[in-house]
Amino acid sequence: MPKFQLKLFSGTSHRKLAEDIAKGLGAKLSQMEVYKFACGETYARALETVRGCNVFVVQTATHNVNEDLMELFVIIDALKRSFAKRIHVVMPHYAYARQDRVALPREPISAKLVADLLSAAGADHVIAVNLHSDQEQGFFDFPVDNLNCLKLFTDYFKKKKLKNITVVSPDAGGAKDAKKLADKLGATLAVIHKARPAPNKSYVTHVVGEVKGRTCVLYDDMIDTGGSICAAMEALLAQGAKKDIYVAATHAVFSDPAVSRLKKAKFKEVIVTDSIPLPKEKQFNGLKVLSIAPLLAKTIKSVHEEKSVTANL
């Protein structure tokens, strides 16, 4: 065992997940004071010593992404100046992940910028869940553990014992991950090709793969406004797929009008993880939330004990 102590802190973005991780570790959350001054500036201070400790900070990206990030930077800086041995950032939903390349002239690569800012603040390591693209790990100048929820979804669907399954990627970019799930389930693969004229706007051009008479599982890394996933459902039904269509996605961003669209579409089930907190107003019948706390707890334990993380996946 390492000589230095493990301490787990939480920002304000997803306290419930941090508490569940702490339970999985058989530990308690360390005390952190976080508040805002009247002018909106963020203040953070650890209420116990972290000198020489292996510190993990849980902070995910929500709809207040910029505030979440600034709070995280301030927390990291406070811990660094308090002589923490190592600072590990646990960010299940990585902020600005979709801005990972220059698609149009003069665009930023904001995912790289966030990686640089985390490094500048003093982070030594990031634990993320299903980054938008695997290549984003190269944006960091320190180690990154990019955890995959494939086993979580595989176990869930195997318990349902569905027949004649086709796993469907709602776009060409997600085909590789969809293929992995299809292989695990012994299912076939289909890919939906779409055009995206503007952010959060898309339309289906055609479906590649056999979906007629089959039970389809749409598999993606996130659901934002829900437009793409609902358009994909319509395309599958038009191709003769069974009406009971499932959706599985890691990150439930659920920006408006996602919830109303998903309700109207009447999917058989919408399965997501708790990488982003979902208030009651964003929950609905047919929504199933799988916890990633056990996966994160095992990963944190492995990192602290300097053991393999991949054994948990």
Side-chain angles (χ1 to χ4, degrees):
M1 288 285 292
K3 293 181 180 179
F4 40 91
Q5 183 181 1
L6 184 157
K7 291 207 173 185
L8 181 68
F9 288 90
S10 174
T12 61
S13 70
H14 205 339
R15 179 85 180 183
K16 174 65 166 58
L17 178 60
E19 290 172 348
D20 290 344
I21 293 170
K23 288 179 183 177
L25 290 169
K28 290 185 178 180
L29 278 177
S30 296
Q31 295 300 304
M32 171 72 68
E33 181 181 26
V34 180
Y35 62 81
K36 291 186 183 299
F37 291 106
C39 64
E41 291 182 0
T42 299
Y43 173 89
R45 182 174 74 95
L47 298 181
E48 55 192 79
T49 183
V50 296
R51 187 181 292 266
C53 293
N54 212 16
V55 177
F56 293 80
V57 183
V58 180
Q59 180 83 329
T60 200
T62 67
H63 286 285
N64 297 317
V65 58
N66 296 326
E67 290 190 10
D68 295 336
L69 279 176
M70 193 64 215
E71 182 180 291
L72 178 59
F73 298 149
V74 172
I75 290 173
I76 293 171
D77 188 70
L79 295 170
K80 179 182 178 182
R81 296 178 189 280
S82 301
F83 299 95
K85 178 75 174 181
R86 294 175 190 159
I87 301 173
H88 309 263
V89 174
V90 182
M91 188 183 286
H93 182 223
Y94 181 71
Y96 287 90
R98 281 176 286 182
Q99 297 184 43
D100 60 357
R101 63 193 175 94
V102 175
L104 297 172
R106 298 172 296 281
E107 282 188 328
I109 303 181
S110 303
K112 174 67 168 70
L113 175 61
V114 171
D116 290 342
L117 291 171
L118 286 169
S119 179
D124 299 299
H125 171 218
V126 163
I127 299 173
V129 179
N130 279 41
L131 288 171
H132 190 60
S133 61
D134 291 338
Q135 296 90 324
E136 288 182 12
Q137 295 172 79
F139 291 171
F140 298 83
D141 294 326
F142 51 75
V144 177
D145 280 307
N146 180 27
L147 308 182
N148 196 303
C149 293
L150 182 63
K151 186 177 185 302
L152 202 62
F153 290 117
T154 299
D155 291 346
Y156 181 80
F157 281 109
K158 280 186 174 180
K159 289 177 182 177
K160 300 190 82 66
K161 297 181 179 179
L162 302 174
K163 304 295 184 182
N164 300 319
I165 306 172
T166 294
V167 177
V168 184
S169 173
D171 55 47
K176 184 172 70 173
D177 286 338
K179 179 65 165 61
K180 291 177 182 177
L181 180 60
D183 290 344
K184 293 285 186 181
L185 295 176
T188 59
L189 175 71
V191 179
I192 291 178
H193 284 263
K194 65 185 181 183
R196 189 178 290 280
N200 293 126
K201 292 184 179 181
S202 65
Y203 60 89
V204 174
T205 58
H206 54 285
V207 179
V208 178
E210 182 58 49
V211 298
K212 186 175 181 179
R214 300 187 68 82
T215 300
C216 291
V217 176
L218 281 158
Y219 185 56
D220 208 354
D221 65 325
M222 70 171 65
I223 301 174
D224 190 355
T225 62
S228 294
I229 213 77
C230 291
M233 180 185 190
E234 292 175 3
L236 293 174
L237 292 174
Q239 293 293 319
K242 287 186 176 180
K243 66 177 183 178
D244 288 345
I245 295 177
Y246 295 80
V247 176
T250 303
H251 306 299
V253 181
F254 286 5
S255 303
D256 287 336
V259 172
S260 61
R261 281 175 170 170
L262 293 170
K263 285 181 180 178
K264 185 178 179 181
K266 296 182 179 180
F267 289 98
K268 180 66 175 178
E269 278 189 338
V270 177
I271 306 104
V272 298
T273 77
D274 58 351
S275 66
I276 300 172
L278 284 176
K280 288 185 178 180
E281 61 269 20
K282 291 193 176 185
Q283 299 177 22
F284 51 90
N285 290 335
L287 177 68
K288 175 68 177 179
V289 181
L290 306 179
S291 178
I292 57 172
L295 173 61
L296 290 172
K298 289 177 184 177
T299 300
I300 289 171
K301 188 174 186 293
S302 295
V303 170
H304 181 63
E305 295 178 352
E306 300 180 346
K307 295 179 179 179
S308 171
V309 167
T310 55
N312 302 319
L313 302 179

